[in-house]
Amino acid sequence: MTTVTAKAPPAAPATEGFSGFGQATLLVAAALTTVDAFIVNVALPSIQDSFEVSASTSQFVVSCYGITYAVLLVLGGRFGDRYGRRRLIQIGITAFTLASLACGLAPNIGTLIGARVVQGAAAALLLPQVLSTIQAALVEPAKTRAVSHYGAVGGLSAAVGQLLGGLFVWADIAGLGWRPIFLVNVPLGILAVIGTRRWVPETRAQQRQGADLGGTALFGAFVLALLIPLSMGRQSHWPLWCWALLVLAAVAGVVLWRYEKGVEDGGTAPLISPALLRQAVMRRGLLVLGSGFLAFGGFIFVFALALQGGNGMDAFESGLSMAPMALGQFLAAVRAPKLIGRIGVRTLQAGGAAQVLGLVCLIVPALLWWPHLHFYHLIAGMFLIGVGNGLFVPTVYRTVLSSIPPERIGVGSGIVTTTQQTTLALGVALLGAVFAGVGAAGGARAGFVAVAAVFLAIAALFTLFGNHLQVRREDQEA
């Protein structure tokens, strides 16, 4: 394997041409991709009825987006390093906007699923560039503030996605049913394209790196073999082919690691750097990030399912219950940069403590008032969970990203976002199975409480051991 290395134009000087408008544009672009990962959840029954298809078929509308998204994220980061991050953002937003229009106008389920695949691919081109641009174009303390805002957008988008999904289905705007959940992206996408061109600086790696086609193919096989069964196994009742794919994923992961190690030892740049993953901060950060998003993703999925299916809430009230979490995450993320500057990685422990308290404030009302829970019973608990997320996510992002060399920031951001998306899917599969299993024996309330208890246990671990995310300098390369 050979790699052509050539000097690229220097990155834009830190903060030059990167105003608040530019940062806001990046956050809107990132929000679009995350909102679309969650907005469909509440609208699936309406889509199913509209096209008269089965629940398992309509589930492809969700799974095909997430799978395509996760498979291409690392490659998207590599392309940004090589060809320029602003260019990739513009291409990604344009493709995402056009695909959203196609989703909103889809005449049948096949067209909708195909357009969702394009949406996922476009999101994968776009999202890694957001973190990479923040890391490359800003200096402290602006960088920490921007990373905190990026972390806030992730949680806000999950909550807003489910809220908007419920609102649009309930409102049935102009008799369009579920279609506005996609059409709303069109004007926002157009504004984001204009804002990116005007206010976001161009950055890229100082040296262009080869494509590593072998690593790309192996990584794609690994993620596909992992996410397809995780996304589809539960509704398919875990047939044999799901287990076979999980075994294949394990084999592909081992082969990928050995292949990439050989590429790196040979002096060329791998798609996924084993040396980068051997760094203690990166390893611990991905473990913390992955476990946090696993718990959060599974909880959010079960939250909507339990409240609508087991507690009798309609889609709008279920979505409205997310609003306190969004508010809490926003307020905490605004304060997170100062708190990180004051107590450092212990901010993660503060976030874990807020999540523990918030989950207690959900479990107690569920035990007392189910199946008559209403929005107002959940305000305190969801607000505190949002506060915890608003402190947890920026702390982990900042710690992990600071350990990545500037020339590898695009690939590193791709690894971080891939970890996030993969563990979200894993959380839906695992905690969805916990909810189904416990619920089958003890009812929806028991299933909901069991899932909340798993989330609480992980948050408690962050509270107790979160300070170990930061390692001593001499351990960095351990």
Side-chain angles (χ1 to χ4, degrees):
M1 179 178 296
T2 58
T3 303
V4 177
T5 302
K7 286 286 185 181
T15 72
E16 183 178 319
F18 199 13
S19 64
F21 290 114
Q23 295 173 49
T25 298
L26 286 185
L27 296 179
V28 169
L32 287 176
T33 68
T34 308
V35 165
D36 254 57
F38 287 90
I39 197 170
V40 180
N41 289 345
V42 180
L44 269 187
S46 179
I47 293 172
Q48 182 181 332
D49 293 341
S50 174
F51 290 129
E52 298 181 349
V53 296
S54 66
S56 59
T57 299
S58 66
Q59 186 66 31
F60 277 107
V61 178
V62 175
S63 59
C64 69
Y65 178 87
I67 290 170
T68 308
Y69 192 10
V71 166
L72 297 177
L73 273 167
V74 175
L75 189 61
R78 184 66 165 262
F79 282 167
D81 284 349
R82 181 177 175 85
Y83 299 111
R85 293 163 189 139
R86 183 176 67 179
R87 179 184 300 179
L88 266 293
I89 292 171
Q90 290 179 296
I91 293 171
I93 296 174
T94 301
F96 188 89
T97 303
L98 293 174
S100 297
L101 180 62
C103 287
L105 300 178
N108 53 59
I109 192 68
T111 302
L112 178 58
I113 290 172
R116 286 285 283 173
V117 170
V118 177
Q119 265 194 325
L125 289 180
L126 159 64
L127 192 62
Q129 320 314 329
V130 176
L131 271 178
S132 299
T133 301
I134 289 171
Q135 192 72 6
L138 290 175
V139 296
E140 299 294 357
K143 184 184 296 185
T144 296
R145 286 197 301 270
V147 171
S148 297
H149 295 157
Y150 175 87
V153 162
L156 284 169
S157 300
V160 169
Q162 297 207 167
L163 175 60
L164 287 179
L167 177 62
F168 283 138
V169 170
W170 171 78
D172 191 21
I173 300 170
L176 292 174
W178 52 268
R179 295 179 185 275
I181 70 175
F182 297 113
L183 295 176
V184 71
N185 292 336
V186 176
L188 294 175
I190 292 172
L191 290 175
V193 170
I194 295 171
T196 301
R197 184 175 182 84
R198 182 170 182 179
W199 293 308
V200 175
E202 181 64 281
T203 65
R204 70 185 77 199
Q206 290 298 299
Q207 291 187 333
R208 295 187 178 184
Q209 300 165 337
D212 186 14
L213 297 180
T216 300
L218 284 169
F219 180 75
F222 165 70
V223 176
L224 282 172
L226 179 65
L227 289 188
I228 287 175
L230 290 181
S231 300
M232 301 172 58
R234 183 179 54 84
Q235 62 266 27
S236 302
H237 306 293
W238 293 100
L240 182 60
W241 63 263
C242 283
W243 297 107
L245 280 177
L246 289 175
V247 172
L248 178 61
V251 173
V254 172
V255 174
L256 172 65
W257 180 264
R258 294 176 66 88
Y259 177 86
E260 294 290 69
K261 187 175 185 301
V263 170
E264 193 165 62
D265 290 345
T268 54
L271 179 73
I272 299 174
S273 169
L276 194 61
L277 294 178
R278 282 195 294 266
Q279 292 184 8
V281 171
M282 177 64 86
R283 287 198 312 270
R284 296 181 188 184
L286 292 180
L287 177 62
V288 171
L289 184 74
S291 58
F293 274 98
L294 183 151
F296 177 73
F299 172 77
I300 291 298
F301 171 76
V302 168
F303 183 86
L305 190 65
L307 290 185
Q308 291 183 61
N311 186 66
M313 280 189 182
D314 59 26
F316 177 68
E317 188 177 8
S318 172
L320 186 62
S321 300
M322 294 285 180
M325 186 180 75
L327 177 62
Q329 181 141 351
F330 173 76
L331 294 177
V334 170
R335 300 295 301 172
K338 290 186 178 179
L339 193 59
I340 292 171
R342 187 178 307 144
I343 64 174
V345 75
R346 291 185 183 276
T347 306
L348 172 60
Q349 294 178 288
Q355 287 182 330
V356 167
L357 184 57
L359 287 158
V360 170
C361 291
L362 289 185
I363 291 172
V364 171
L367 293 174
L368 291 176
W369 294 302
W370 196 283
H372 304 294
L373 277 179
H374 291 287
F375 161 76
Y376 49 83
H377 293 127
L378 307 174
I379 291 175
M382 294 300 284
F383 178 81
L384 287 168
I385 291 173
V387 169
N389 283 351
L391 299 178
F392 157 76
V393 177
T395 307
V396 181
Y397 277 153
R398 179 182 180 274
T399 304
V400 172
L401 291 175
S402 66
S403 72
I404 301 173
E407 68 274 10
R408 303 290 289 161
I409 189 63
V411 173
S413 298
I415 293 172
V416 169
T417 48
T418 299
T419 299
Q420 175 182 326
Q421 295 302 315
T422 303
T423 51
L424 279 171
L426 184 61
V428 169
L430 294 181
L431 296 189
V434 170
F435 174 74
V438 176
R445 177 176 65 177
F448 175 77
V449 170
V451 169
V454 172
F455 192 1
L456 188 153
I458 292 175
L461 290 176
F462 295 159
T463 305
L464 293 172
F465 304 112
N467 61 311
H468 293 289
L469 174 62
Q470 188 65 57
V471 298
R472 295 174 302 172
R473 180 169 298 178
E474 57 266 30
D475 294 334
Q476 285 280 356
E477 300 298 332

